[in-house]
Amino acid sequence: MLQRLLEKIKENNLDVDIEMIKKAYNVAEKAHEGQLRESGDPYILHPVEVAIILVEMGLDTDAICAALLHDVVEDTHLSYEDVKREFNESIADLVDGVTKLGKIEYKSKEEQQAENIRKVLIAMAKDIRVILIKLADRLHNMRTLKYLPPEKQKAKAEETLDIYAPLAHRLGISKIKWELEDLSLRYLHPDEYYELVSKVQKKRAEREKEINEIKNILQEKLEQAGIKADIDGRPKHFYSIYRKMHYKNKTFDQIFDLLAVRVIVDTVKDCYAALGIVHTLWKPIPGRFKDYIAMPKPNMYQSLHSTVIGPNGQPFEIQIRTWEMHRTAEYGIAAHWKYKEGINNKELDIDEKLHWLRQILELQKEAKDATEFMETVKIDLFSDEVFVFTPKGAVIDLPVDSTPIDFAYRIHTDVGNKCVGAKVNGRMVPLDYKLKTGDIVEIITSANSKGPSRDWLNIAKSSQAKNKIRQWFKRTFKEENIEKGRETFEKEIKRQGLNLNEALKTEYIEPVIRKFNFSNIEDLYSAIGSGALTAHQVISKLKEEIKKEEILPQKEIISEDKVEKKPRKGEIKKPGVIIEGEKDLFVRFAKCCNPIPGDEIIGFITRGRGVSIHRKDCSNFKHLAEAEPDRVIDASWTGEHNAKFLAEISIEANDRHGLIADISTTLTNSKLSVKAINARTTRNHLALINLTIEVTSVEQIEKLIKDLRKLNGIIDVYRNLS
């Protein structure tokens, strides 16, 4: 297998470090020793085949070594650090970029799949070689898919068609794209696939005869004109035929370009000269000529395409390109990838070709979770495209059904925000006009524009445009959104029968704020107000946090003699409470009401966690006691109150300069430790302040409340109770 790899390197004239590649092979072979593929072959066969695909693409030493080692971190005892130490950081980073996230627990297979793809896409934005290795890995896996069970075959084929084939298309690697699509079709729609194979085979002899006739005529005319050319027949790929039949409602006999000829010449000048000869030999079909040399596709593809009527009256497609264009058409970005020491994506002159990678990074920041991220990516990057022009002739690619709004935001965020109208092909159109390939689009802007309308979120097709519109609303109406979000949140809290002060306790709300990736509660309210989040989503997470702190009633009744007398590992026995005459029972103080020495208390026997101590007037305890009265047990304080307890105090005051400073001074004088403070103002200039403090008794709270009420502008101070 190593010899085969080395011969491929020699065939492709690659200037690579052979000794390093041999070392990578030996390390991979030893690491995978004893492992077999589903086919029964030694596992090392797979990384070698992946490396050979990269050799054919002309990649460098590090990429080929990483291909050989791409499964060692995931499937063997070797680690990232081992690879880095044995080789270098570049190879280790490439291996890490391709490695799946296998050690994390996920809620579903879909979430795991989305996270794995998300990781590869983000790694790809740093180093494009990551996705080239991943595409080669997927291609060999698809070539050997027959050894997997049918359900796995379909799942892999669907993922390939949804993600990997479109990625290959975006990178311009048609050689891999076509094969991935044909293999996916074979397993997703086997009946249609084999029917197509049969129909194409039946026409094969007839087609080859026609192609040879065309080649001979064209070769003679090109030689007479002094143009050196390589002419060959190009088989139409099965998936391409299937798509045209399926999506355009065509029969097999209605597919024009089953017959295709490719002409490869030395210069751009020869391309146009050859096209002139073709059009003098055979009549071109109107509307079927495309000049991708003057206007390359965004994935760097260049070629002249024309469909003409052949010698026997049958239409056929002809493609004309230079050798350099041909290599780019086959291998896309890999054909431009000349690696040197320390080079990275930003230093290469291909940044504009990969503008969609920047979109990926933007989408990654905006998405709430991996599944939403992948849905957005599929819509925005992997949907069918339209190609439109700026007034200066630049080509812009957008998803099908895009509107002038999508175009405006693709040009620049400010152009989108200040857009007041659009012209397509010189005439005014509404902003919901669906752009078509070839349209020339001009955006009309105004400095007096009030910004985007909320209706634009329904009109825009691309996720990039929608995200920019949402950002504008978030930024412009943040204060309004905060107030609107707070009101919505508080209404939903009441509707669900929860206590607002309870829900906003630090230990509940802070984890929720972090889960939604916000830094404070105002940002959370703003997200609710702008529609980016719903109050229901937030409250669902809040309930999860509250449930963590209190065991809900269970059907099984636990008698008093089953209460544990020793705390479990990691739990702390709190002093100062007597349970029906017993002092050494393990107790925990309920977070819902935070009982403090001096409060009247009661116990509730929990499942396996001792006795939960509540205040007697706690509403949560009343619910528990009504559901299971047999669990209720008498409790009282011992008088030994050295332990510290958390208490919450709410302050309502007229907002004024120096209010927080006066409150801070009072707290300092009380010598109580403040664990958290949360302050906000309302529209009518009221200040609402929540304090979490550490105390040893109710008397300390009462004294602090009395001192705070003496401050100027204070309306009310009270302890938060459930």
Side-chain angles (χ1 to χ4, degrees):
M1 282 184 278
L2 175 60
Q3 193 56 40
R4 182 162 172 262
L5 174 61
L6 297 178
E7 284 171 6
K8 280 287 180 184
I9 291 170
K10 190 176 178 181
E11 278 176 32
N12 285 271
N13 298 314
L14 290 192
D15 181 17
V16 291
D17 186 337
I18 296 296
E19 292 308 310
M20 178 88 89
I21 290 169
K22 284 181 179 178
K23 181 182 176 183
Y25 173 84
N26 290 328
V27 168
E29 185 182 41
K30 187 175 179 183
H32 289 297
E33 191 174 4
Q35 294 180 356
L36 298 176
R37 297 272 288 168
E38 293 286 344
S39 61
D41 292 316
Y43 196 90
I44 189 64
L45 173 72
H46 171 63
V48 169
E49 291 295 339
V50 173
I52 285 171
I53 293 169
L54 294 189
V55 167
E56 290 170 348
M57 293 167 73
L59 289 194
D60 63 340
T61 302
D62 284 359
I64 295 167
C65 288
L68 289 167
L69 297 163
H70 78 272
D71 276 334
V72 297
V73 172
E74 187 179 338
D75 294 334
T76 78
H77 63 281
L78 293 181
S79 67
Y80 170 89
E81 292 301 327
D82 293 331
V83 177
K84 183 178 174 182
R85 185 172 57 254
E86 285 290 324
F87 297 92
N88 58 47
E89 189 173 358
S90 170
I91 292 174
D93 284 346
L94 288 171
V95 172
D96 182 63
V98 180
T99 300
K100 295 190 191 80
L101 308 173
K103 295 181 181 178
I104 302 172
E105 287 188 17
Y106 295 96
K107 292 177 184 173
S108 64
K109 253 186 176 179
E110 290 73 18
E111 185 185 3
Q112 183 173 15
Q113 178 199 47
E115 279 294 359
N116 284 328
I117 294 167
R118 182 183 202 164
K119 180 190 174 187
V120 170
L121 290 173
I122 302 311
M124 166 182 128
K126 296 175 185 172
D127 191 330
I128 201 73
R129 290 175 295 179
V130 168
I131 198 61
L132 300 181
I133 297 168
K134 191 67 184 172
L135 286 171
D137 171 56
R138 179 50 61 110
L139 178 56
H140 184 250
N141 281 332
M142 290 298 292
R143 286 173 178 173
T144 56
L145 202 60
K146 63 183 178 183
Y147 298 106
L148 293 182
E151 64 275 9
K152 285 193 176 179
Q153 289 176 348
K154 287 201 169 183
K156 288 280 183 191
E158 195 168 328
E159 184 184 49
T160 300
L161 208 52
D162 280 350
I163 303 296
Y164 292 103
L167 266 174
H169 170 66
R170 279 282 177 175
L171 295 167
I173 313 171
S174 63
K175 192 174 178 68
I176 287 180
K177 174 196 178 241
W178 290 121
E179 190 174 350
L180 287 176
E181 288 180 338
D182 282 356
L183 287 167
S184 297
L185 180 65
R186 177 180 168 186
Y187 291 101
L188 285 174
H189 304 287
D191 293 343
E192 290 94 330
Y193 174 80
Y194 287 110
E195 186 182 351
L196 276 179
V197 171
S198 172
K199 286 180 176 178
V200 170
Q201 288 283 28
K202 283 178 185 175
K203 288 203 168 188
R204 187 172 182 177
E206 178 189 334
R207 190 175 68 247
E208 284 180 353
K209 183 182 175 185
E210 285 183 52
I211 284 177
N212 286 333
E213 185 181 347
I214 290 165
K215 279 170 62 177
N216 292 336
I217 295 170
L218 187 55
Q219 192 79 59
E220 184 184 340
K221 291 293 181 182
L222 290 173
E223 284 175 3
Q224 288 174 6
I227 298 171
K228 185 182 173 185
D230 184 278
I231 307 173
D232 203 2
R234 179 184 69 86
K236 187 74 175 173
H237 296 277
F238 297 123
Y239 183 71
S240 179
I241 301 170
Y242 170 80
R243 269 184 65 87
K244 286 195 174 181
M245 291 172 64
H246 190 70
Y247 292 106
K248 295 188 179 180
N249 245 351
K250 291 190 175 183
T251 64
F252 181 77
D253 295 325
Q254 289 175 314
I255 307 296
F256 277 160
D257 47 2
L258 280 174
L259 182 62
V261 174
R262 180 177 290 146
V263 180
I264 305 176
V265 296
D266 291 333
T267 67
V268 173
K269 181 182 175 184
D270 288 345
C271 288
Y272 287 100
L275 178 69
I277 290 169
V278 167
H279 283 178
T280 57
L281 288 170
W282 300 291
K283 189 177 180 180
I285 296 176
R288 301 280 299 174
F289 169 66
K290 291 167 186 171
D291 187 345
Y292 293 121
I293 294 179
M295 293 172 291
K297 288 185 178 182
N299 64 5
M300 298 174 288
Y301 178 85
Q302 286 184 287
S303 197
L304 297 175
H305 287 200
S306 186
T307 304
V308 297
I309 303 296
N312 301 315
Q314 286 295 318
F316 74 93
E317 185 184 61
I318 191 154
Q319 297 176 355
I320 307 169
R321 62 178 69 144
T322 65
W323 285 103
E324 185 183 348
M325 291 173 194
H326 180 60
R327 177 152 181 79
T328 300
E330 295 283 290
Y331 295 112
I333 205 160
H336 290 248
W337 210 253
K338 309 297 181 188
Y339 285 97
K340 294 178 185 176
E341 193 74 29
I343 203 163
N344 60 43
N345 290 1
K346 291 179 183 176
E347 292 170 315
L348 294 167
D349 188 25
I350 53 171
D351 192 47
E352 189 51 41
K353 311 284 192 300
L354 294 175
H355 70 85
W356 54 278
L357 274 182
R358 293 194 298 277
Q359 283 177 247
I360 284 179
L361 291 175
E362 287 179 18
L363 296 172
Q364 137 80 9
K365 291 172 190 172
E366 291 288 327
K368 291 194 288 291
D369 55 46
T371 307
E372 181 186 308
F373 172 64
M374 280 315 305
E375 284 306 310
T376 306
V377 166
K378 283 181 189 179
I379 292 167
D380 213 22
L381 299 183
F382 303 146
S383 61
D384 288 336
E385 300 161 299
V386 292
F387 300 94
V388 296
F389 299 94
T390 68
K392 292 184 178 178
V395 183
I396 303 293
D397 63 308
L398 294 164
V400 163
D401 292 337
S402 287
T403 65
I405 292 169
D406 296 288
F407 178 90
Y409 279 102
R410 174 63 63 81
I411 299 300
H412 196 277
T413 303
D414 286 343
V415 174
N417 289 340
K418 293 176 181 177
C419 170
V420 292
K423 286 184 179 179
V424 173
N425 304 324
R427 64 183 183 83
M428 292 294 295
V429 296
L431 290 178
D432 61 358
Y433 171 87
K434 290 182 179 179
L435 298 173
K436 302 178 192 69
T437 293
D439 282 344
I440 301 169
V441 187
E442 180 185 350
I443 299 299
I444 302 165
T445 60
S446 169
N448 298 321
S449 166
K450 292 179 181 178
S453 157
R454 288 193 184 271
D455 291 340
W456 288 12
L457 288 168
N458 299 320
I459 295 171
K461 172 69 176 178
S462 66
S463 298
Q464 183 196 27
K466 289 184 179 184
N467 286 337
K468 296 292 184 188
I469 295 165
R470 288 193 191 103
Q471 284 171 14
W472 187 86
F473 280 112
K474 283 179 191 174
R475 198 169 51 248
T476 308
F477 298 116
K478 187 168 184 183
E479 289 303 317
E480 184 181 319
N481 286 336
I482 289 171
E483 195 60 36
K484 183 180 174 184
R486 182 185 289 114
E487 288 173 10
T488 304
F489 175 79
E490 291 177 358
K491 277 181 186 175
E492 184 64 16
I493 282 277
K494 288 176 184 175
R495 194 186 71 77
Q496 295 199 28
L498 297 176
N499 181 283
L500 180 62
N501 290 329
E502 176 72 15
L504 291 177
K505 282 184 177 179
T506 305
E507 62 265 36
Y508 301 148
I509 196 68
E510 283 194 352
V512 174
I513 291 169
R514 288 195 298 272
K515 276 183 182 177
F516 288 107
N517 297 318
F518 296 116
S519 56
N520 54 57
I521 196 166
E522 281 75 21
D523 289 345
L524 186 71
Y525 286 147
S526 179
I528 295 171
S530 68
L533 269 181
T534 66
H536 182 75
Q537 285 174 300
V538 176
I539 292 167
S540 293
K541 295 293 181 188
L542 257 177
K543 284 180 175 178
E544 288 175 18
E545 293 301 319
I546 293 168
K547 280 180 184 177
K548 286 179 188 175
E549 298 298 330
E550 182 56 70
I551 302 295
L552 293 177
Q554 303 290 332
K555 288 184 180 179
E556 181 190 346
I557 302 298
I558 296 183
S559 62
E560 293 168 28
D561 60 354
K562 287 188 180 178
V563 179
E564 288 187 329
K565 295 199 175 189
K566 289 182 181 179
R568 291 184 169 191
K569 186 179 178 182
E571 294 179 322
I572 301 169
K573 193 182 89 168
K574 297 211 175 179
V577 174
I578 297 173
I579 304 294
E580 290 204 347
E582 291 279 352
K583 277 184 69 175
D584 293 325
L585 290 181
F586 174 61
V587 300
R588 54 187 289 274
F589 294 96
K591 298 283 186 181
C592 53
C593 57
N594 288 325
I596 293 170
D599 289 328
E600 287 189 7
I601 56 173
I602 193 78
F604 186 83
I605 301 169
T606 66
R607 181 184 290 276
R609 292 182 66 188
V611 177
S612 177
I613 302 299
H614 295 258
R615 289 199 330 272
K616 275 190 176 178
D617 59 353
C618 171
S619 59
N620 194 33
F621 168 77
K622 287 175 184 175
H623 167 71
L624 294 168
E626 285 171 9
E628 300 192 54
D630 290 336
R631 289 178 178 269
V632 177
I633 191 167
D634 287 339
S636 59
W637 301 102
T638 64
E640 302 164 8
H641 308 320
N642 295 324
K644 292 185 176 179
F645 301 80
L646 290 179
E648 286 197 1
I649 290 176
S650 288
I651 304 169
E652 291 179 13
N654 292 313
D655 192 19
R656 64 173 175 83
H657 183 71
L659 176 64
I660 295 294
D662 289 347
I663 291 171
S664 298
T665 302
T666 304
L667 288 168
T668 304
N669 293 338
S670 72
K671 297 182 180 177
L672 295 176
S673 175
V674 179
K675 293 301 180 184
I677 182 167
N678 190 320
R680 63 185 177 91
T681 57
T682 64
R683 281 179 174 174
N684 51 359
H685 304 293
L686 283 180
L688 304 178
I689 302 160
N690 289 321
L691 304 172
T692 303
I693 56 175
E694 223 174 35
V695 297
T696 58
S697 68
V698 169
E699 286 74 24
Q700 287 183 323
I701 299 176
E702 289 173 350
K703 184 178 185 310
L704 178 61
I705 289 174
K706 188 176 178 183
D707 292 340
L708 288 170
R709 281 177 174 161
K710 292 176 183 176
L711 298 178
N712 182 31
I714 297 292
I715 298 169
D716 195 9
V717 183
Y718 54 91
R719 178 181 167 195
N720 280 342
L721 304 174
S722 67

